[in-house]
């Protein structure tokens, strides 16, 4: 009778678990499922845990297409680190990017995204690459900062954020600093 769509595998109990385990509302979860399901309904009917490729996800979720950290988001949030997403992987990503996600949880995810070489430290090399990603323009590739400017930026950031003088930023230092930056909560965010 009503216009509500049902999705195989998304039972009331599973929905309750998702709303408990994420920072997403029931409406947001249903919205995400509707888009995810539309990628290939037959595959999800056969296997609720089917993993879609990055390309298939990007075709449905425009918010990820132009993100300069797209590769890192797929690396960090893909539970099998295979550049594919299950519905639960997508929920984890959207939960971390939700406005309801607490700053300390966001900071933990952000640290993993920004630790580009995955050595559990944010180094000058990571910072330089982050700066490139944030300043690079497809329309004007010459807009990248030169090496000296990136070194200066990296040195300043490390000087301000490195409490234990190791020359890199650890996860705990990163979380402390992010908790002091009011804009962080709204910067590590996207709207569904």
């Amino acid at each position: 009778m009503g216009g509500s769509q049902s999705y195989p595998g998304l039972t009331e109990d599973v929905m309750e678990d998702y709303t408990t385990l994420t920072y997403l509302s029931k409406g947001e979860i249903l919205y995400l499922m509707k888009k995810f399901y539309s990628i290939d309904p037959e595959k999800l009917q056969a296997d609720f845990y089917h993993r879609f490729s990055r390309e298939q996800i990007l075709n449905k979720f425009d918010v990820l297409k132009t993100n300069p950290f797209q590769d890192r988001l797929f690396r960090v949030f893909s539970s099998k680190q295979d550049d594919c997403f299950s519905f639960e992987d997508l929920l984890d990503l959207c939960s971390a990017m939700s406005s309801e996600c607490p700053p300390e949880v966001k900071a933990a995810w952000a640290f993993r995204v920004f630790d580009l070489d995955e050595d559990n430290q944010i180094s000058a090399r990571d910072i330089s690459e982050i700066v490139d990603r944030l300043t690079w323009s497809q329309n004007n590739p010459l807009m990248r900062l030169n090496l000296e400017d990136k070194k200066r930026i990296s040195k300043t950031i490390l000087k301000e954020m490195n409490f234990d003088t190791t020359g890199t930023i650890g996860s705990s230092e990163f979380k402390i600093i992010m908790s002091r930056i009011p804009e962080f909560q709204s910067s590590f965010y996207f709207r569904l």
Side-chain angles (χ1 to χ4, degrees):
M1 290 230 209
S4 72
Q5 163 87 39
S6 67
Y7 302 100
L10 191 61
T11 64
E12 280 300 317
D13 289 342
V14 170
M15 177 64 81
E16 187 64 34
D17 288 345
Y18 288 160
T19 56
T20 301
L21 297 171
T22 69
Y23 301 103
L24 300 170
S25 69
K26 184 177 180 179
E28 290 169 323
I29 294 167
L30 285 171
Y31 170 78
L32 289 169
M33 175 48 87
K34 181 179 180 180
K35 287 186 81 159
F36 193 78
Y37 189 80
S38 72
I39 296 171
D40 191 334
E42 288 179 15
K43 284 205 166 98
L44 284 177
Q45 286 175 358
D47 177 12
F48 181 71
Y49 300 101
H50 180 78
R51 304 177 64 72
F52 289 110
S53 71
R54 179 195 298 198
E55 293 76 28
Q56 290 171 303
I57 297 293
L58 292 176
N59 284 334
K60 284 292 175 179
F61 297 92
D62 292 334
V63 71
L64 297 173
K65 277 185 184 175
T66 58
N67 190 302
F69 298 96
Q70 176 194 113
D71 63 317
R72 294 297 304 151
L73 293 173
F74 275 87
R75 173 81 177 159
V76 169
F77 287 95
S78 174
S79 58
K80 295 191 179 196
Q81 295 187 332
D82 60 0
D83 241 14
C84 297
F85 274 4
S86 67
F87 182 62
E88 290 181 354
D89 294 336
L90 180 68
L91 286 182
D92 285 343
L93 169 62
C94 292
S95 180
M97 294 297 183
S98 165
S99 61
E100 299 301 313
C101 184
E104 62 276 4
V105 175
K106 274 188 183 295
W109 283 112
F111 180 82
R112 291 186 58 202
V113 169
F114 297 145
D115 178 17
L116 301 174
D117 58 10
E118 298 184 359
D119 65 353
N120 294 318
Q121 298 291 316
I122 295 178
S123 64
R125 188 177 337 126
D126 290 324
I127 294 168
S128 180
E129 173 71 20
I130 290 166
V131 169
D132 275 346
R133 288 173 182 235
L134 293 173
T135 60
W136 185 78
S137 168
Q138 189 172 4
N139 297 330
N140 188 358
L142 298 176
M143 291 206 37
R144 283 193 182 202
L145 296 177
N146 64 46
L147 186 58
E148 288 306 311
D149 288 340
K150 290 188 289 187
K151 282 182 181 178
R152 192 171 27 261
I153 290 168
S154 296
K155 184 178 178 180
T156 301
I157 289 172
L158 287 171
K159 181 180 174 188
E160 292 296 319
M161 292 182 73
N162 184 232
F163 301 138
D164 62 9
T165 64
T166 60
T168 60
I169 301 165
S171 177
S172 57
E173 292 166 312
F174 186 83
K175 289 176 191 173
I176 291 168
I177 294 300
M178 291 303 107
S179 71
R180 297 178 183 169
I181 301 174
E183 296 84 12
F184 172 68
Q185 185 76 357
S186 62
S187 297
F188 200 74
Y189 162 81
F190 58 69
R191 186 187 334 238
L192 299 177

